[in-house]
């Protein structure tokens, strides 16, 4: 640690939440162990100078010390040296005194990210696309057309000399050739642009008409683009015109985050608490219903030709009689397009997604706290 007039030099990281402090500036490194979250950004241009005296047990000469600060699963900050040993309190105090606001901001950011993971589980449905036909708007071709060159004219005296006239003619030929090549390239780009517009229009026309292959291609791409909080596997088919049948392999309840975080007003700590079993069960209940709602909504949005969606969700559970792992269906729902239009897509954040599915033909055996019993899903023969 260097506490002379040149400032303090720190390297706080790399595991978990960390800060780098030195004469060249302050860097904030945010990371949450086990989550994959990590970011680095420069916070300031340079460290302020500081002096301080320490007890005799501290080094009398100025030295640079590298520390690592991490946040464990209980939200406690730990400061260690490069050997993994806990550092003296005076070094921790110095870090907190010089960069306390940055460390607290780091803790708050970690807290927010942990809680966002939990909150996101029950909000997937809020981004559901409304059921309306796809309209085609051709993209304009904005590249300007090449400008035809102004040709040179041989002057009065130049015309008396063949070599001079030849130079003018050669320059004009080069200008014409360059213009011809540029115009040809421009026409090719324009043709390719118009072809792309026509391809998109043709695709949307087939999509709106309910062409099976096109609908399956588009719907599959939409599902892949969704940022699912937990692994979610979807299979689907169009067994007959206007009907989409979907099976959803849900995340397991054991994979659901079961901790929430808060930042106490005082101290340098992240308060992490485990959710109770009932809280986790209710969160899982909202999550699996939000998944079904989102998928059904994207199905109706995929093509106006889709008139009915039959969606069934299942999870893997051990058979109590044999112990073998098997699929247990949690709920199965049939929704028509007319029924789906009753949803207010401008106000999805106010929607109770668990209650919303009861508006449709639903098979579900579930308690108020989200405990599911296996059901028999709808099959293709049950479709309209």
């Amino acid at each position: 640690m260097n506490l002379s007039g040149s400032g303090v030099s720190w390297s706080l990281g790399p595991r978990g939440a960390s800060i780098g402090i030195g004469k060249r500036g302050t860097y904030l490194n945010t990371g949450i162990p086990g989550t994959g979250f990590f970011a680095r950004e420069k916070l300031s241009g340079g460290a302020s100078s500081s002096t301080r005296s320490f007890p005799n047990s501290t080094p009398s000469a100025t030295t640079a010390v590298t520390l690592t600060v991490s946040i464990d699963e209980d939200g406690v900050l730990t400061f260690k040296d490069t050997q993994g040993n806990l550092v003296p309190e005076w070094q921790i105090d110095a870090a907190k005194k010089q960069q306390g606001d940055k460390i607290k901001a780091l803790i708050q950011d970690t807290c927010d990210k942990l809680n966002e993971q939990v909150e996101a589980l029950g909000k997937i449905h809020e981004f559901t696309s409304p059921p309306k036909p796809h309209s085609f708007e051709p993209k304009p071709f904005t590249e300007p057309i090449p400008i035809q060159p102004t040709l040179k004219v041989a002057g009065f005296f130049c015309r008396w000399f063949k070599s001079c006239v030849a130079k003018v003619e050669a320059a004009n030929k080069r200008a014409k050739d360059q213009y011809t090549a540029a115009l040809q390239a421009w026409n090719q780009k324009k043709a390719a642009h118009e072809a792309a517009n026509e391809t998109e229009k043709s695709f949307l026309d087939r999509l709106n008409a309910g062409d099976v292959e096109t609908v399956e291609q588009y719907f599959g791409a939409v599902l892949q683009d969704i940022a699912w909080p937990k692994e979610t596997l979807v299979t689907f088919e169009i067994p007959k015109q206007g009907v989409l049948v979907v099976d959803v392999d849900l995340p397991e309840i054991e994979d659901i985050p079961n901790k929430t975080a808060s930042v106490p007003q005082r101290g340098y700590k992240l308060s992490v608490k485990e959710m109770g079993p009932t809280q986790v069960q209710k969160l899982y209940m909202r999550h699996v219903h939000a998944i079904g709602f989102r998928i059904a909504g994207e199905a109706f949005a995929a093509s106006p030709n889709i008139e009915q969606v039959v969606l069934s969700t299942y999870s893997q559970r051990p058979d109590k009689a044999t112990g073998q792992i098997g699929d247990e269906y949690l709920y199965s729902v049939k929704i028509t397009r007319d029924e789906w239009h009753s949803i207010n897509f401008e106000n999805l954040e106010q929607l109770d997604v668990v209650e919303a599915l009861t508006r449709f033909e639903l098979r579900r055996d579930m308690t108020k706290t989200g405990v599911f019993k296996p059901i028999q899903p709808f099959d293709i023969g049950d479709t309209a």
Side-chain angles (χ1 to χ4, degrees):
M1 173 177 288
N2 183 346
L3 290 178
S4 65
S6 60
V8 178
S9 178
W10 289 85
S11 174
L12 306 180
R15 282 196 74 249
S18 59
I19 289 179
I21 309 165
K23 292 190 296 181
R24 297 184 181 274
T26 301
Y27 290 83
L28 176 65
N29 306 305
T30 53
I32 308 172
T35 65
F37 287 111
F38 181 79
R40 174 180 171 84
E41 62 176 315
K42 190 171 184 179
L43 301 174
S44 65
S48 60
S49 58
S50 173
T51 60
R52 179 175 175 176
S53 60
F54 291 96
N56 294 332
S57 59
T58 63
S60 57
T62 59
T63 56
V65 178
T66 299
L67 302 181
T68 297
V69 57
S70 60
I71 304 179
D72 64 18
E73 62 181 9
D74 295 319
V76 179
L77 269 71
T78 302
F79 295 79
K80 295 182 179 180
D81 59 22
T82 54
Q83 304 300 317
N85 301 313
L86 296 176
V87 301
E89 284 295 326
W90 65 268
Q91 291 184 2
I92 297 174
D93 291 341
K96 292 177 178 178
K97 183 176 181 180
Q98 290 206 4
Q99 295 296 333
D101 290 343
K102 300 297 188 297
I103 296 175
K104 287 184 177 180
L106 183 72
I107 296 171
Q108 184 63 58
D109 185 61
T110 303
C111 174
D112 293 341
K113 285 183 170 61
L114 286 171
N115 290 334
E116 285 169 7
Q117 290 184 85
V118 175
E119 294 170 2
L121 296 175
K123 294 184 176 182
I124 310 170
H125 65 287
E126 294 182 9
F127 305 97
T128 304
S129 303
K132 59 183 181 181
H134 300 276
S135 58
F136 173 70
E137 295 183 5
K139 299 179 179 64
F141 184 64
T142 57
E143 184 172 332
I145 188 171
I147 299 174
Q148 192 167 3
T150 301
L151 301 180
K152 296 180 179 180
V153 178
F156 176 77
F157 291 104
C158 180
R159 276 179 257 159
W160 290 92
F161 302 95
K162 290 183 179 181
S163 60
C164 183
V165 172
K167 287 182 180 179
V168 172
E169 290 176 346
N172 286 339
K173 184 179 183 304
R174 286 195 301 271
K176 286 180 180 179
D177 290 345
Q178 290 173 356
Y179 169 73
T180 299
L183 183 61
Q184 183 180 14
W186 182 85
N187 283 324
Q188 290 174 345
K189 289 181 180 179
K190 183 181 179 183
H193 178 84
E194 291 174 347
N197 270 340
E198 185 58 35
T199 298
E200 182 181 350
K201 181 179 183 301
S202 175
F203 183 85
L204 293 180
D205 287 344
R206 296 196 307 273
L207 194 60
N208 287 330
D211 177 73
V212 172
E213 183 177 348
T214 305
V215 172
E216 289 179 343
Q217 178 184 348
Y218 179 81
F219 184 51
V222 169
L223 295 180
Q224 288 182 348
D225 285 341
I226 296 175
W228 302 102
K230 293 295 178 181
E231 185 179 20
T232 305
L233 304 178
V234 182
T235 58
F236 58 92
E237 63 174 322
I238 301 177
K240 54 186 176 181
Q241 190 68 23
V243 178
L244 182 68
V245 178
V246 185
D247 254 24
V248 184
D249 186 354
L250 297 167
E252 305 305 318
I253 190 171
E254 293 80 10
D255 298 328
I256 296 297
N258 63 350
K259 294 182 179 180
T260 59
S262 62
V263 179
Q265 291 184 346
R266 295 185 178 183
Y268 294 83
K269 181 178 180 179
L270 181 64
S271 179
V272 179
K273 295 183 178 180
E274 285 196 9
M275 301 167 59
T278 301
Q279 284 180 291
V280 175
Q281 193 72 54
K282 287 183 176 181
L283 177 61
Y284 184 72
M285 173 180 66
R286 292 195 302 273
H287 182 50
V288 299
H289 284 83
I291 289 174
F293 186 99
R294 179 72 182 273
I295 294 174
E298 299 303 339
F300 283 119
S303 172
N305 192 261
I306 297 297
E307 293 294 337
Q308 185 181 57
V309 172
V310 180
L311 182 141
S312 303
T313 66
Y314 63 92
S315 177
Q316 285 73 41
R317 285 287 178 267
D319 186 289
K320 293 183 178 179
T322 66
Q324 297 293 332
I325 303 296
D327 296 337
E328 287 189 356
Y329 280 85
L330 305 189
Y331 68 86
S332 185
V333 61
K334 286 200 301 182
I335 310 170
T336 66
R337 176 171 289 273
D338 288 341
E339 293 171 331
W340 193 248
H341 275 287
S342 65
I343 301 294
N344 180 4
F345 289 89
E346 299 296 326
N347 199 27
L348 290 181
E349 65 275 6
Q350 299 298 322
L351 184 78
D352 182 340
V353 71
V354 178
E355 185 66 21
L357 294 187
T358 63
R359 298 178 57 86
F360 316 114
E361 190 172 352
L362 177 67
R363 291 182 181 177
R364 183 182 70 189
D365 189 352
M366 180 189 74
T367 67
K368 291 182 179 180
T369 58
V371 178
F372 290 91
K373 292 183 179 180
I375 56 96
Q376 183 65 35
F378 293 109
D379 57 34
I380 295 178
D382 296 319
T383 60

